[in-house]
Amino acid sequence: MRRKLIAGNWKMNMDRASAVALAGALVKRAAEVSAVDLLVCPPSTYLVPVGEALGNSGIALGAQNMYHEANGAFTGELSAAMLTDVGCKYVILGHSERRHILGETDADVNKKTKAALAAGLVPIVCVGELLAEREAGQTAAIIKRQFDGSLAGISADLIEKTVIAYEPVWAIGTGKVATPQQAEDVHADLRRLLTERYNERSAGVVRILYGGSVKASNAGDLLGQPNIDGALVGGASLKADEFLGIAAAGVWR
Ligand code: PEP
């Protein structure tokens, strides 16, 4: 049985005070949704104060990105060890904004995924097609290419410590949500890929999150799909009520 994971990607939003206040608001009510795993990924400048606000609430801390090298002359970058050092358990990798705005490739994501796993961080590896790719009937091929490229060379042991997020690019921050069936079809494809590339046992362990305009009002139907094991939430994760509403929708699914 895979526990649902509800992850908030705060992106480049908030200041220190509002980040700490949001974490505090989540901590107060975390017990209401203890049947699911909660994770927040604030901007890296606020990892420490948000981590302090989360305390021992059980809400995990994660980063939105990292670099694959351990240390050295890489101005502006952060290593996996730096993230674990400030309490991170997870790191989002290959988010579509990093792929499409900042030019990250599958090879970059692969190096980062390996470095994260080696440091004991759980990578949340994002894949997802553009609208034009979906309309051209290329969704399955794009997902397969991103899956194979981003996860190349990762052992079955380590894949079980990895989370995958399916985030159709056309649904991120647009208010357009994939239908539960559209999302489930891709999640089932990803689960099949896991079985083919690894084995049934590992495929059964890996959590596959859906991301793209998830809100409390649409989360129940998405999280009710057999292969949707949680949500990666952008905009709606900035409001405690909405984020906890999504988590509550996952409790009974
Ligand atoms: C995201 O940032 O991963 C995301 C899915 O954003 P939103 O929920 O705002 O669409």
Side-chain angles (χ1 to χ4, degrees):
M1 184 65 189
R2 298 179 293 270
R3 258 174 85 85
K4 297 266 192 277
L5 171 62
I6 309 298
N9 173 12
W10 294 359
K11 308 196 187 189
M12 199 174 75
N13 291 301
M14 290 186 294
D15 56 17
R16 183 184 178 115
S18 53
V20 169
L22 177 54
L26 296 177
V27 167
K28 268 197 201 132
R29 295 179 48 204
E32 293 170 21
V33 290
S34 60
V36 303
D37 291 339
L38 293 182
L39 161 68
V40 294
C41 302
S44 51
T45 47
Y46 307 136
L47 284 169
V48 170
V50 167
E52 284 166 3
L54 295 176
N56 58 7
S57 63
I59 303 175
L61 183 69
Q64 299 174 16
N65 180 39
M66 52 162 264
Y67 195 58
H68 66 274
E69 293 285 355
N71 49 51
F74 304 103
T75 301
E77 297 293 340
L78 297 173
S79 71
M82 290 171 182
L83 299 180
T84 58
D85 196 25
V86 295
C88 288
K89 297 271 183 289
Y90 292 81
V91 60
I92 300 170
L93 296 176
H95 189 278
S96 75
E97 287 148 18
R98 297 209 59 86
R99 289 178 184 269
H100 297 291
I101 302 173
L102 297 155
E104 253 179 40
T105 64
D106 288 332
D108 296 327
V109 179
N110 185 237
K111 284 188 263 183
K112 292 179 182 202
T113 303
K114 287 175 174 161
L117 287 164
L121 275 174
V122 176
I124 300 179
V125 177
C126 303
V127 296
E129 82 287 2
L130 298 164
L131 183 58
E133 291 165 341
R134 172 162 285 269
E135 287 174 348
Q138 296 169 344
T139 300
I142 296 292
I143 298 301
K144 190 166 175 224
R145 193 201 69 210
Q146 292 178 340
F147 177 100
D148 284 336
S150 304
L151 299 173
I154 290 170
S155 66
D157 274 2
L158 289 176
I159 203 72
E160 293 181 16
K161 299 188 167 73
T162 302
V163 172
I164 296 174
Y166 168 55
E167 298 208 301
V169 180
W170 48 271
I172 297 180
T174 58
K176 279 188 208 153
V177 63
T179 66
Q181 193 57 54
Q182 282 175 320
E184 171 59 20
D185 288 347
V186 177
H187 283 235
D189 273 356
L190 283 163
R191 190 87 58 204
R192 266 191 297 276
L193 278 172
L194 286 163
T195 307
E196 280 168 31
R197 302 290 188 267
Y198 297 95
N199 55 62
E200 205 151 327
R201 209 200 78 83
S202 297
V205 169
V206 176
R207 291 190 283 193
I208 308 176
L209 314 184
Y210 169 78
S213 298
V214 177
K215 306 183 280 237
S217 59
N218 60 27
D221 287 344
L222 287 160
L223 295 171
Q225 300 300 312
N227 286 294
I228 300 187
D229 308 314
L232 180 52
V233 186
S237 71
L238 300 175
K239 294 183 197 123
D241 282 351
E242 270 293 311
F243 189 62
L244 291 166
I246 293 167
V251 167
W252 303 110
R253 306 287 166 169

